[in-house]
Amino acid sequence: NGDGPRITLHWRFLQYHFQHKHHTSYAAITAKLMILLNGGASDQIKHRMMWCRVVNIAGLPGRCIEKDLYNEFLNDRYKGNDSIKFS
């Protein structure tokens, strides 16, 4: 819900899961993300990677959703499945 450190923590746990289940491509992607967030990128890029993953569609505190989910809502609206209201 807009909590960058918590999202990053989830990715860290997913990295262990991917390694355990031998999903090497996903494990490599999460390892690259962790390297970038822990010093491999500039401060501006780290800030964007940490905090620019959610959208607040209602304009109210605590009403953030992931950008991927928001894009799915937009796709549904474009296709004519307008059952989800944004307000």
Side-chain angles (χ1 to χ4, degrees), residues 8-57:
T8 304
L9 182 66
H10 289 186
W11 275 110
R12 188 171 290 145
F13 284 124
L14 283 173
Q15 182 181 9
Y16 295 124
H17 172 75
F18 294 148
Q19 288 174 347
H20 178 71
K21 296 293 184 178
H22 305 290
H23 297 295
T24 55
S25 61
Y26 295 138
I29 291 169
T30 55
K32 184 176 180 180
L33 176 66
M34 292 299 119
I35 289 169
L36 290 173
L37 286 174
N38 292 313
S42 69
D43 290 338
Q44 182 180 14
I45 292 174
K46 286 190 285 190
H47 178 78
R48 285 183 184 167
M49 290 176 71
M50 179 76 73
W51 296 105
C52 296
R53 297 176 178 268
V54 294
V55 173
N56 190 334
I57 59 174

Side-chain angles (χ1 to χ4, degrees), residues 74-87:
L74 292 179
N75 288 340
D76 284 344
R77 178 177 268 187
Y78 178 74
K79 292 176 183 177
N81 303 332
D82 204 13
S83 62
I84 298 174
K85 302 298 180 199
F86 288 106
S87 57

